[in-house]
Amino acid sequence: MTKPNDDELELDSVFEMDDNTFQDAVKKAKKKIANRNIIISVLVSLGVLIILIVGWLSLMGLSQAVAIQDERMYSQIKSPNVYEIGYQIKGNGLFEGTLSFTRYKMVGDFPIDWNDDVINYNLFGRSGRVLGDHSPVQTTDKIDGLPRFYDRDVKERIMQFYHPNVDYKTIRNDIIQLKNVGTNKEIEMAISFDKGYSPKEVRNFLPSEVSLTWYWVDTYSDSDKRLEDHSLKQENGNIINFGSDPLFADEVYGFSEENIEGISSEEAFLRDIKEGKAEVSKKEYSQEFERIYDHLRGSSKEPKVSDMKIIGVIVTGSSPQLNSLQNIKQIRSSVFGAIAEKDY
C-alpha cells in the first residue's frame, strides 16, 4: 500500500471535520483573503496618491517656471528703469501659487525701492496680477496745478509720457521746477520728444551732462485706443471732451541703454521682441509682442533698427546736470520720477 501524499491527507482532514471546525476554517480563509485585499487596496491607493502628488508638483513647477519666464521676458521691454533682484514664493495652494518679484530703480548710482511685482499662477498654466485696486496716489502739484501721481507702495513719483502725435490740453514741464530741487538730489526724469528720432540722433542731441538710461519706442498705430481722447456725453446730448491722458511709465515700451553680449541696446530690443513673440505663453503678453513686432516691421519681413523711432527717454542726474536740457528744442515734455538723496 502506498503512503498518502500531503494533498490527500489535507483532503481527508477536510472531510473528517465536523461542522464547527469547517466553519472556522472558512472564516479564517475569508479573513485572510479580506486582509490581503485591504493590503493590496492600501498599496494601490498609496501608489496612486504618490503619482498624483508627483504629477501635481510637476504641473505646479512647470506653471511656475512658465510664469517666471513670461514676466521676465515682458518686463525687459515694459518696465522703464526698473530692475529685478529675484522672486519669492509667497504661497502655494492646491491649484494656484503666488510669486513676488522684488524690484528697484537706479537713479544715478543710487538704488531706490520700487513696488514688488506680485502675480498669481495656477495649475493650468494661467497667470495674472493679484486682484484688487492698483491705482496710484494722486495729488495736485502746487506749482503747475496738474495732477501728480505717486506709486501706492513706495510713494515715489510716477513718470508720464506724452506721445508726439497727440494734442494734449496741458503738458507738464518739470525742467522749470529743477530750481526747487536741492543740488544734493539725484533725479529721474521722463522726457518726451516732439517727434520720432533714431537712437543715434537721440544720443547726439542730448547733452553729455545727463545719464541716458532708457528709450521709449514708438509702438503705436494711428488707431491705438491708448491715444484716444476721453469724452463724456451728458443727458442733454452735449459731449464734454477731456482730451487724451499722458501715458504712465508702465504703459510704454522700450529698452535700457546697455551694451550686452556685443550688440547695441536697440538690437537687443528687437531680439527680445522676436524671442517674446515666439516663447511667451501668456496670451496677453504674446499678443503685445506680436503687435509690436508687426508694427515695427511694417511691410518688411522682419523689423530693423532703421524702422525704430524713439519718442522719449528717461534720464537721471543732479538738478544742475538736468538743467542742461533747458534749451533742447526736441523736448516736448519733462516729468519727474523718483528722487534719491545723495549720501555723500
Side-chain angles (χ1 to χ4, degrees):
M1 182 181 290
T2 59
K3 186 177 180 179
N5 57 34
D6 293 339
D7 291 337
E8 291 173 337
L9 290 173
E10 184 176 355
L11 185 61
D12 290 341
S13 66
V14 170
F15 285 107
E16 292 173 0
M17 289 181 183
D18 57 26
D19 290 342
N20 291 334
T21 305
F22 180 77
Q23 289 177 3
D24 290 342
V26 171
K27 288 180 180 178
K28 288 180 180 179
K30 287 182 176 179
K31 186 175 181 181
K32 184 176 181 181
I33 292 171
N35 290 338
R36 182 185 64 188
N37 290 340
I38 290 172
I39 293 172
I40 291 173
S41 298
V42 170
L43 291 176
V44 170
S45 299
L46 285 174
V48 171
L49 182 61
I50 290 171
I51 291 172
L52 289 175
I53 291 174
V54 171
W56 174 81
L57 289 173
S58 298
L59 286 174
M60 287 296 287
L62 179 61
S63 296
Q64 183 188 98
V66 169
I68 292 170
Q69 174 183 278
D70 285 357
E71 291 302 317
R72 285 180 167 168
M73 293 189 74
Y74 195 54
S75 66
Q76 286 179 333
I77 66 168
K78 182 70 171 175
S79 303
N81 196 32
V82 176
Y83 303 89
E84 177 207 322
I85 299 176
Y87 68 89
Q88 294 83 39
I89 300 173
K90 292 295 186 180
N92 266 332
L94 185 59
F95 296 109
E96 67 176 18
T98 303
L99 293 169
S100 178
F101 296 83
T102 303
R103 306 193 302 173
Y104 67 98
K105 283 176 172 265
M106 286 301 299
V107 182
D109 296 328
F110 304 95
I112 298 289
D113 281 337
W114 199 242
N115 60 60
D116 293 342
D117 188 16
V118 182
I119 64 166
N120 286 333
Y121 64 94
N122 64 29
L123 186 65
F124 310 104
R126 296 176 182 172
S127 63
R129 295 287 180 275
V130 175
L131 297 177
D133 185 3
H134 297 279
S135 57
V137 177
Q138 180 178 343
T139 64
T140 300
D141 192 284
K142 293 181 179 179
I143 297 177
D144 62 18
L146 297 178
R148 182 80 71 178
F149 297 93
Y150 293 80
D151 181 84
R152 65 183 294 121
D153 294 325
V154 298
K155 308 303 185 290
E156 290 283 353
R157 292 174 179 83
I158 297 175
M159 295 177 292
Q160 292 180 288
F161 292 86
Y162 294 77
H163 195 281
N165 297 337
V166 176
D167 291 326
Y168 298 94
K169 290 196 170 183
T170 57
I171 293 180
R172 169 161 270 142
N173 180 16
D174 277 340
I175 290 177
I176 62 175
Q177 293 200 38
L178 285 169
K179 61 181 180 293
N180 301 319
V181 182
T183 57
N184 64 329
K185 311 281 187 181
E186 194 77 12
I187 305 163
E188 176 189 49
M189 181 174 280
I191 302 294
S192 300
F193 298 141
D194 59 346
K195 65 176 186 177
Y197 297 92
S198 70
K200 183 178 180 181
E201 288 175 321
V202 171
R203 295 182 184 111
N204 287 337
F205 69 67
L206 285 179
S208 58
E209 289 89 342
V210 301
S211 296
L212 176 54
T213 65
W214 194 84
Y215 298 80
W216 178 25
V217 179
D218 190 359
T219 61
Y220 308 92
S221 64
D222 294 336
S223 60
D224 199 309
K225 293 186 179 298
R226 283 167 283 201
L227 305 179
E228 289 182 351
D229 288 350
H230 303 295
S231 59
L232 175 66
K233 188 174 182 179
Q234 297 179 308
E235 292 182 0
N236 59 11
N238 293 333
I239 296 177
I240 301 176
N241 189 349
F242 297 102
S244 294
D245 293 327
L247 298 164
F248 287 114
D250 61 0
E251 297 178 304
V252 300
Y253 296 97
F255 56 91
S256 298
E257 172 70 314
E258 297 175 332
N259 194 306
I260 302 173
E261 301 171 1
I263 63 175
S264 66
S265 49
E266 50 266 38
E267 290 172 323
F269 174 74
L270 293 181
R271 178 202 61 194
D272 292 341
I273 294 294
K274 189 174 182 179
E275 290 179 353
K277 173 176 169 288
E279 298 176 19
V280 164
S281 299
K282 188 174 179 179
K283 185 177 180 180
E284 176 189 344
Y285 294 172
S286 63
Q287 287 177 338
E288 281 296 272
F289 277 112
E290 184 88 30
R291 181 189 68 79
I292 295 169
Y293 184 89
D294 290 340
H295 175 79
L296 292 177
R297 73 182 178 89
S299 58
S300 303
K301 183 178 180 181
E302 59 182 26
K304 303 181 292 293
V305 171
S306 58
D307 299 322
M308 190 185 302
K309 292 300 179 184
I310 306 302
I311 53 177
V313 293
I314 293 176
V315 295
T316 62
S318 65
S319 178
Q321 289 171 330
L322 294 180
N323 203 48
S324 62
L325 299 169
Q326 190 76 248
N327 298 315
I328 304 300
K329 62 181 181 179
Q330 293 89 343
I331 294 178
R332 187 185 188 198
S333 168
S334 55
V335 181
F336 286 140
I339 297 178
E341 188 161 351
K342 297 179 181 179
D343 52 8
Y344 57 82

